[in-house]
Amino acid sequence: MESVTAPKPRVVIVGAGFGGLEAAKLLTKEPVQLTVIDRTNHHLFQPLLYEVATAALSPADIAAPIRGILGRCKNTEVILAEVKSVNVAARTLNIGDRDMTYDYLILATGSRHSYFGHEEWEKLAPGLKSLEDAVEIRRRLLLAFEYAEKISDEAAKAAAMTFVIIGGGPTGVEMAGAIAEIARYTLDKDFKHIDPSSARVILVEGDERLLSGFPEDLSASAMKQLKDLGVEVRTGIHAGNLTEEGLQVGDEFIPCRVKIWAAGNAASFVGKTMGVPVDKAGRVIVNEDLTIPGHPEVQVIGDLANFTHQGGKLLPGVSPVAMQQGRHAARNILAMMDNRKPQRFRYWNKGSMATIGRNKAVADLNFIHLSGLPAWLIWLFVHIIFLVGFRNRIAVLIEWAWAYVTFNKGARLITRNFQAETRPLN
C-alpha cells in the first residue's frame, strides 16, 4: 500500500512588521505551508521614520522588500493584499477578491494614529506610521521654508516657520529635536531672505511631563536637551481647534502651517472583525499565551494586542514587544502541531531609548539611566544592528556619518502630494 503524506499545516501571518517578520523567520524552515500577507511590499523600520520625515534618510534606507527577505524560503509565499475581515469560525480570511483558509493564524496588522474622534484633523496634522506619512511630512516641512522665502508679509512668514508637534512621546520628542536641528544647522545657509534658525518648534504634551513611559529623571533630561535646541515645550496642556491657519493650545491660538500628530494610536480595524473583545483603542484582548478566547489557533501580537497579563499593565506598542511576541507565537504554533499547549508569553524588557538630536538622547537600560552622548551612541548602535538588510545598515551608517561631519541632510526632496489625496485606511 502506498503511504499518504499528511498535508502540511497552513500558517498565515498577516502583517510583515517587526512581529510578523520575526514569526515568519522562525517558521521558514519548519514543516508548514507559510503565507505572509501585507498591504505593502516592504518591511518598514518604523523607529527611523522620523529621519525620512526630516530629510536625513531616504525611504529605501529604512525599508526592505518582503519578497527579498523571504522569497528564497521554499515553504513560504508572499501575497500583496489587504485583509478585510477574519472569520474565526470558518478559519478563513477575506483579502478582497477571495477568501483564504488557514490552520493557524498570526495577526500583526499594527496600528494607525488616532485623532480621538476628530478624524478631520488628519489632513491638517499627519501622523507618522508609514513611508507615505514620512514623505508627506517632509514635503510640508520643506515647502514651509520655501513659502516663507518668497513672501513679504511678516505674520504669514512667521506662521510658515512655526512647527507644532502634538504629543510628547518618543515620536514627538524625536520629531521636535530633528526639526529644530534641520532648521538651525542644515538649512541655515540655504536661503537668502529668511533665517531658518529663527523657526519656532513647539512640542505640546497633555501629560505633565514628556516621555511619560520613561523614568522621571530621563523625562527631565529630555526636556532640558530639547530646550537646548531651542524647542518650546508645553506640558500639561492639550491642543485643539486645528485649522489650516493654526491650532489652539490652551488659551493661545498659534498660527502655523505645519502641524504633526504624535498623540495617540488606534489599532487596525481587522481585530474588530473577529467578534472577540477589544479595548477602546480597538486592540484585541488576548489570553496570556497571545491566543484569542475560544480559538487557540489564532494569535494576535504587536500593536493589535492588548496584553495585560504581566503586572496588570498594558505592554507598550514598541518593536521589542512585537518581536518577542512574534517569536513566541511561532513557537506556540510548533507546540500545537505537536499536540502541546501554547505557552504563556513573558516580555523581557531590555530598556527604552529616545533620541533628541546630535549627541542628544535618553536611554533607560533598567540598571542604569543615560543621557546625552552615551545614550545617543547606544541608540545609534542598536538601530544599525536591527535594520533589516546589509545594504540598509551600510547606507544609514554612511548617511549618519556624513550628516554628523557636515551637518548636511541629503534627502531634502519635495515630492507631489499623492498620499494626502488617497490616505490608506487602517
PDB file of all heavy atoms in Angstrom, residues 21 38 45 71 83 142 148 212 250 260 268 280 305 312 316 321-322 324 330 338-339 345 355 377 379 381 419:
ATOM      1  N   LEU A  21       7.366  39.576  10.876  1.00  0.00           N
ATOM      2  CA  LEU A  21       8.603  39.127  10.234  1.00  0.00           C
ATOM      3  C   LEU A  21       9.389  38.182  11.142  1.00  0.00           C
ATOM      4  O   LEU A  21       9.952  37.184  10.677  1.00  0.00           O
ATOM      5  CB  LEU A  21       9.458  40.332   9.853  1.00  0.00           C
ATOM      6  CG  LEU A  21      10.662  40.035   8.956  1.00  0.00           C
ATOM      7  CD1 LEU A  21      10.222  39.422   7.643  1.00  0.00           C
ATOM      8  CD2 LEU A  21      11.460  41.310   8.702  1.00  0.00           C
ATOM      9  N   ASP A  38       0.712  41.172   3.350  1.00  0.00           N
ATOM     10  CA  ASP A  38       0.891  42.562   3.776  1.00  0.00           C
ATOM     11  C   ASP A  38       0.327  43.463   2.683  1.00  0.00           C
ATOM     12  O   ASP A  38       0.357  43.107   1.503  1.00  0.00           O
ATOM     13  CB  ASP A  38       2.361  42.886   4.026  1.00  0.00           C
ATOM     14  CG  ASP A  38       2.534  44.118   4.904  1.00  0.00           C
ATOM     15  OD1 ASP A  38       2.309  45.245   4.402  1.00  0.00           O
ATOM     16  OD2 ASP A  38       2.896  43.971   6.075  1.00  0.00           O
ATOM     17  N   PHE A  45      11.226  49.841   8.851  1.00  0.00           N
ATOM     18  CA  PHE A  45      11.857  50.042  10.155  1.00  0.00           C
ATOM     19  C   PHE A  45      11.306  51.340  10.742  1.00  0.00           C
ATOM     20  O   PHE A  45      11.885  52.419  10.594  1.00  0.00           O
ATOM     21  CB  PHE A  45      13.376  50.106  10.001  1.00  0.00           C
ATOM     22  CG  PHE A  45      14.121  49.990  11.306  1.00  0.00           C
ATOM     23  CD1 PHE A  45      14.298  48.760  11.917  1.00  0.00           C
ATOM     24  CD2 PHE A  45      14.640  51.113  11.929  1.00  0.00           C
ATOM     25  CE1 PHE A  45      14.982  48.650  13.129  1.00  0.00           C
ATOM     26  CE2 PHE A  45      15.321  51.022  13.121  1.00  0.00           C
ATOM     27  CZ  PHE A  45      15.492  49.783  13.724  1.00  0.00           C
ATOM     28  N   GLY A  71      11.722  35.587   0.001  1.00  0.00           N
ATOM     29  CA  GLY A  71      11.445  34.986  -1.299  1.00  0.00           C
ATOM     30  C   GLY A  71      12.156  33.664  -1.556  1.00  0.00           C
ATOM     31  O   GLY A  71      11.674  32.834  -2.331  1.00  0.00           O
ATOM     32  N   VAL A  83      -6.085  42.525   4.159  1.00  0.00           N
ATOM     33  CA  VAL A  83      -7.102  41.662   4.764  1.00  0.00           C
ATOM     34  C   VAL A  83      -8.281  42.516   5.196  1.00  0.00           C
ATOM     35  O   VAL A  83      -8.128  43.495   5.935  1.00  0.00           O
ATOM     36  CB  VAL A  83      -6.518  40.887   5.961  1.00  0.00           C
ATOM     37  CG1 VAL A  83      -7.620  40.148   6.721  1.00  0.00           C
ATOM     38  CG2 VAL A  83      -5.458  39.907   5.485  1.00  0.00           C
ATOM     39  N   LEU A 142       9.625  71.161   4.144  1.00  0.00           N
ATOM     40  CA  LEU A 142      10.472  71.890   3.198  1.00  0.00           C
ATOM     41  C   LEU A 142       9.689  72.971   2.453  1.00  0.00           C
ATOM     42  O   LEU A 142      10.214  74.058   2.191  1.00  0.00           O
ATOM     43  CB  LEU A 142      11.096  70.899   2.209  1.00  0.00           C
ATOM     44  CG  LEU A 142      12.030  69.852   2.835  1.00  0.00           C
ATOM     45  CD1 LEU A 142      12.546  68.892   1.776  1.00  0.00           C
ATOM     46  CD2 LEU A 142      13.190  70.509   3.578  1.00  0.00           C
ATOM     47  N   ALA A 148       8.005  80.666   2.957  1.00  0.00           N
ATOM     48  CA  ALA A 148       8.464  81.820   3.737  1.00  0.00           C
ATOM     49  C   ALA A 148       9.502  82.632   2.971  1.00  0.00           C
ATOM     50  O   ALA A 148       9.563  83.866   3.092  1.00  0.00           O
ATOM     51  CB  ALA A 148       9.042  81.345   5.075  1.00  0.00           C
ATOM     52  N   SER A 212       6.297  60.026  29.176  1.00  0.00           N
ATOM     53  CA  SER A 212       5.686  59.564  30.423  1.00  0.00           C
ATOM     54  C   SER A 212       5.992  58.104  30.738  1.00  0.00           C
ATOM     55  O   SER A 212       5.901  57.677  31.888  1.00  0.00           O
ATOM     56  CB  SER A 212       4.172  59.776  30.379  1.00  0.00           C
ATOM     57  OG  SER A 212       3.594  59.092  29.278  1.00  0.00           O
ATOM     58  N   GLY A 250      -4.232  75.457  24.746  1.00  0.00           N
ATOM     59  CA  GLY A 250      -4.722  76.110  25.950  1.00  0.00           C
ATOM     60  C   GLY A 250      -5.533  77.333  25.576  1.00  0.00           C
ATOM     61  O   GLY A 250      -6.474  77.268  24.790  1.00  0.00           O
ATOM     62  N   ILE A 260       2.085  68.415  13.189  1.00  0.00           N
ATOM     63  CA  ILE A 260       2.384  66.982  13.105  1.00  0.00           C
ATOM     64  C   ILE A 260       1.762  66.279  14.303  1.00  0.00           C
ATOM     65  O   ILE A 260       1.908  66.734  15.448  1.00  0.00           O
ATOM     66  CB  ILE A 260       3.912  66.750  13.076  1.00  0.00           C
ATOM     67  CG1 ILE A 260       4.513  67.444  11.845  1.00  0.00           C
ATOM     68  CG2 ILE A 260       4.228  65.260  13.063  1.00  0.00           C
ATOM     69  CD1 ILE A 260       6.020  67.507  11.857  1.00  0.00           C
ATOM     70  N   SER A 268      -5.445  48.520  14.178  1.00  0.00           N
ATOM     71  CA  SER A 268      -6.021  48.178  12.879  1.00  0.00           C
ATOM     72  C   SER A 268      -7.440  47.648  13.050  1.00  0.00           C
ATOM     73  O   SER A 268      -7.764  46.969  14.027  1.00  0.00           O
ATOM     74  CB  SER A 268      -5.145  47.113  12.214  1.00  0.00           C
ATOM     75  OG  SER A 268      -5.833  46.457  11.180  1.00  0.00           O
ATOM     76  N   LYS A 280     -10.933  50.051  23.978  1.00  0.00           N
ATOM     77  CA  LYS A 280     -11.437  51.269  23.346  1.00  0.00           C
ATOM     78  C   LYS A 280     -10.573  51.733  22.187  1.00  0.00           C
ATOM     79  O   LYS A 280     -11.026  52.507  21.343  1.00  0.00           O
ATOM     80  CB  LYS A 280     -11.581  52.385  24.382  1.00  0.00           C
ATOM     81  CG  LYS A 280     -10.283  52.802  25.041  1.00  0.00           C
ATOM     82  CD  LYS A 280     -10.531  53.888  26.074  1.00  0.00           C
ATOM     83  CE  LYS A 280      -9.231  54.337  26.742  1.00  0.00           C
ATOM     84  NZ  LYS A 280      -9.473  55.401  27.757  1.00  0.00           N
ATOM     85  N   ALA A 305      -2.506  43.859  19.831  1.00  0.00           N
ATOM     86  CA  ALA A 305      -2.808  43.040  21.006  1.00  0.00           C
ATOM     87  C   ALA A 305      -2.882  43.877  22.282  1.00  0.00           C
ATOM     88  O   ALA A 305      -2.034  44.740  22.526  1.00  0.00           O
ATOM     89  CB  ALA A 305      -1.759  41.947  21.178  1.00  0.00           C
ATOM     90  N   GLY A 312      -0.316  43.500  35.221  1.00  0.00           N
ATOM     91  CA  GLY A 312      -1.578  44.218  35.086  1.00  0.00           C
ATOM     92  C   GLY A 312      -1.515  45.443  34.197  1.00  0.00           C
ATOM     93  O   GLY A 312      -2.527  46.116  33.999  1.00  0.00           O
ATOM     94  N   PRO A 316       3.733  48.162  26.117  1.00  0.00           N
ATOM     95  CA  PRO A 316       3.810  49.288  25.174  1.00  0.00           C
ATOM     96  C   PRO A 316       3.873  48.818  23.736  1.00  0.00           C
ATOM     97  O   PRO A 316       4.337  47.708  23.435  1.00  0.00           O
ATOM     98  CB  PRO A 316       5.106  49.993  25.590  1.00  0.00           C
ATOM     99  CG  PRO A 316       5.939  48.921  26.206  1.00  0.00           C
ATOM    100  CD  PRO A 316       4.961  48.017  26.912  1.00  0.00           C
ATOM    101  N   VAL A 321       8.608  44.544  21.933  1.00  0.00           N
ATOM    102  CA  VAL A 321       7.447  43.750  22.334  1.00  0.00           C
ATOM    103  C   VAL A 321       6.949  42.921  21.156  1.00  0.00           C
ATOM    104  O   VAL A 321       6.719  41.711  21.268  1.00  0.00           O
ATOM    105  CB  VAL A 321       6.314  44.651  22.867  1.00  0.00           C
ATOM    106  CG1 VAL A 321       5.041  43.841  23.098  1.00  0.00           C
ATOM    107  CG2 VAL A 321       6.729  45.329  24.168  1.00  0.00           C
ATOM    108  N   ALA A 322       6.782  43.559  20.010  1.00  0.00           N
ATOM    109  CA  ALA A 322       6.278  42.857  18.829  1.00  0.00           C
ATOM    110  C   ALA A 322       7.215  41.735  18.402  1.00  0.00           C
ATOM    111  O   ALA A 322       6.765  40.633  18.045  1.00  0.00           O
ATOM    112  CB  ALA A 322       6.082  43.848  17.685  1.00  0.00           C
ATOM    113  N   GLN A 324       9.412  39.997  20.240  1.00  0.00           N
ATOM    114  CA  GLN A 324       9.361  38.876  21.175  1.00  0.00           C
ATOM    115  C   GLN A 324       8.044  38.119  21.044  1.00  0.00           C
ATOM    116  O   GLN A 324       8.012  36.887  21.121  1.00  0.00           O
ATOM    117  CB  GLN A 324       9.556  39.372  22.605  1.00  0.00           C
ATOM    118  CG  GLN A 324      10.958  39.875  22.887  1.00  0.00           C
ATOM    119  CD  GLN A 324      11.153  40.312  24.329  1.00  0.00           C
ATOM    120  OE1 GLN A 324      10.606  39.712  25.258  1.00  0.00           O
ATOM    121  NE2 GLN A 324      11.934  41.361  24.529  1.00  0.00           N
ATOM    122  N   ALA A 330       5.225  31.976  16.976  1.00  0.00           N
ATOM    123  CA  ALA A 330       5.720  30.908  16.099  1.00  0.00           C
ATOM    124  C   ALA A 330       6.011  29.647  16.907  1.00  0.00           C
ATOM    125  O   ALA A 330       5.678  28.531  16.485  1.00  0.00           O
ATOM    126  CB  ALA A 330       6.971  31.383  15.363  1.00  0.00           C
ATOM    127  N   ASP A 338       2.553  19.740  17.664  1.00  0.00           N
ATOM    128  CA  ASP A 338       2.977  18.535  18.401  1.00  0.00           C
ATOM    129  C   ASP A 338       1.998  18.160  19.498  1.00  0.00           C
ATOM    130  O   ASP A 338       2.344  17.402  20.415  1.00  0.00           O
ATOM    131  CB  ASP A 338       4.368  18.764  19.016  1.00  0.00           C
ATOM    132  CG  ASP A 338       5.464  18.820  17.958  1.00  0.00           C
ATOM    133  OD1 ASP A 338       5.256  18.265  16.874  1.00  0.00           O
ATOM    134  OD2 ASP A 338       6.516  19.423  18.233  1.00  0.00           O
ATOM    135  N   ASN A 339       0.774  18.707  19.410  1.00  0.00           N
ATOM    136  CA  ASN A 339      -0.281  18.421  20.396  1.00  0.00           C
ATOM    137  C   ASN A 339       0.090  18.875  21.799  1.00  0.00           C
ATOM    138  O   ASN A 339      -0.325  18.280  22.789  1.00  0.00           O
ATOM    139  CB  ASN A 339      -0.628  16.923  20.404  1.00  0.00           C
ATOM    140  CG  ASN A 339      -1.223  16.478  19.083  1.00  0.00           C
ATOM    141  OD1 ASN A 339      -2.079  17.155  18.515  1.00  0.00           O
ATOM    142  ND2 ASN A 339      -0.764  15.335  18.574  1.00  0.00           N
ATOM    143  N   PHE A 345       3.115  33.897  27.483  1.00  0.00           N
ATOM    144  CA  PHE A 345       4.117  34.853  26.998  1.00  0.00           C
ATOM    145  C   PHE A 345       4.632  35.700  28.148  1.00  0.00           C
ATOM    146  O   PHE A 345       3.867  36.185  28.985  1.00  0.00           O
ATOM    147  CB  PHE A 345       3.512  35.766  25.933  1.00  0.00           C
ATOM    148  CG  PHE A 345       4.432  36.887  25.508  1.00  0.00           C
ATOM    149  CD1 PHE A 345       5.553  36.623  24.744  1.00  0.00           C
ATOM    150  CD2 PHE A 345       4.173  38.200  25.882  1.00  0.00           C
ATOM    151  CE1 PHE A 345       6.400  37.649  24.359  1.00  0.00           C
ATOM    152  CE2 PHE A 345       5.017  39.231  25.505  1.00  0.00           C
ATOM    153  CZ  PHE A 345       6.142  38.951  24.735  1.00  0.00           C
ATOM    154  N   THR A 355      15.882  59.319  20.933  1.00  0.00           N
ATOM    155  CA  THR A 355      16.897  60.283  20.521  1.00  0.00           C
ATOM    156  C   THR A 355      16.276  61.664  20.377  1.00  0.00           C
ATOM    157  O   THR A 355      15.082  61.794  20.067  1.00  0.00           O
ATOM    158  CB  THR A 355      17.562  59.857  19.200  1.00  0.00           C
ATOM    159  OG1 THR A 355      18.619  60.766  18.901  1.00  0.00           O
ATOM    160  CG2 THR A 355      16.567  59.862  18.064  1.00  0.00           C
ATOM    161  N   LEU A 377      25.004  57.351  21.458  1.00  0.00           N
ATOM    162  CA  LEU A 377      25.846  56.332  20.830  1.00  0.00           C
ATOM    163  C   LEU A 377      25.200  54.953  20.924  1.00  0.00           C
ATOM    164  O   LEU A 377      25.235  54.170  19.962  1.00  0.00           O
ATOM    165  CB  LEU A 377      27.229  56.323  21.478  1.00  0.00           C
ATOM    166  CG  LEU A 377      28.103  57.555  21.203  1.00  0.00           C
ATOM    167  CD1 LEU A 377      29.379  57.496  22.029  1.00  0.00           C
ATOM    168  CD2 LEU A 377      28.439  57.654  19.716  1.00  0.00           C
ATOM    169  N   TRP A 379      21.981  54.397  21.183  1.00  0.00           N
ATOM    170  CA  TRP A 379      20.826  54.452  20.273  1.00  0.00           C
ATOM    171  C   TRP A 379      21.269  54.187  18.839  1.00  0.00           C
ATOM    172  O   TRP A 379      20.629  53.419  18.116  1.00  0.00           O
ATOM    173  CB  TRP A 379      20.164  55.825  20.397  1.00  0.00           C
ATOM    174  CG  TRP A 379      18.954  55.999  19.541  1.00  0.00           C
ATOM    175  CD1 TRP A 379      17.655  55.751  19.880  1.00  0.00           C
ATOM    176  CD2 TRP A 379      18.935  56.453  18.181  1.00  0.00           C
ATOM    177  NE1 TRP A 379      16.813  56.033  18.816  1.00  0.00           N
ATOM    178  CE2 TRP A 379      17.577  56.465  17.762  1.00  0.00           C
ATOM    179  CE3 TRP A 379      19.904  56.865  17.276  1.00  0.00           C
ATOM    180  CZ2 TRP A 379      17.183  56.860  16.491  1.00  0.00           C
ATOM    181  CZ3 TRP A 379      19.516  57.251  16.000  1.00  0.00           C
ATOM    182  CH2 TRP A 379      18.172  57.257  15.633  1.00  0.00           C
ATOM    183  N   PHE A 381      23.928  52.527  17.766  1.00  0.00           N
ATOM    184  CA  PHE A 381      24.375  51.138  17.619  1.00  0.00           C
ATOM    185  C   PHE A 381      23.184  50.191  17.519  1.00  0.00           C
ATOM    186  O   PHE A 381      23.132  49.328  16.627  1.00  0.00           O
ATOM    187  CB  PHE A 381      25.254  50.756  18.816  1.00  0.00           C
ATOM    188  CG  PHE A 381      25.657  49.307  18.833  1.00  0.00           C
ATOM    189  CD1 PHE A 381      26.666  48.853  18.004  1.00  0.00           C
ATOM    190  CD2 PHE A 381      25.023  48.404  19.673  1.00  0.00           C
ATOM    191  CE1 PHE A 381      27.037  47.511  18.008  1.00  0.00           C
ATOM    192  CE2 PHE A 381      25.386  47.071  19.684  1.00  0.00           C
ATOM    193  CZ  PHE A 381      26.397  46.625  18.850  1.00  0.00           C
ATOM    194  N   GLN A 419      -0.237  61.145  -1.519  1.00  0.00           N
ATOM    195  CA  GLN A 419      -0.705  60.415  -0.334  1.00  0.00           C
ATOM    196  C   GLN A 419      -1.853  61.109   0.368  1.00  0.00           C
ATOM    197  O   GLN A 419      -2.784  60.465   0.845  1.00  0.00           O
ATOM    198  CB  GLN A 419       0.467  60.226   0.634  1.00  0.00           C
ATOM    199  CG  GLN A 419       0.175  59.323   1.812  1.00  0.00           C
ATOM    200  CD  GLN A 419      -0.216  60.103   3.039  1.00  0.00           C
ATOM    201  OE1 GLN A 419      -0.077  61.316   3.077  1.00  0.00           O
ATOM    202  NE2 GLN A 419      -0.727  59.425   4.035  1.00  0.00           N
TER     203      GLN A 419
END
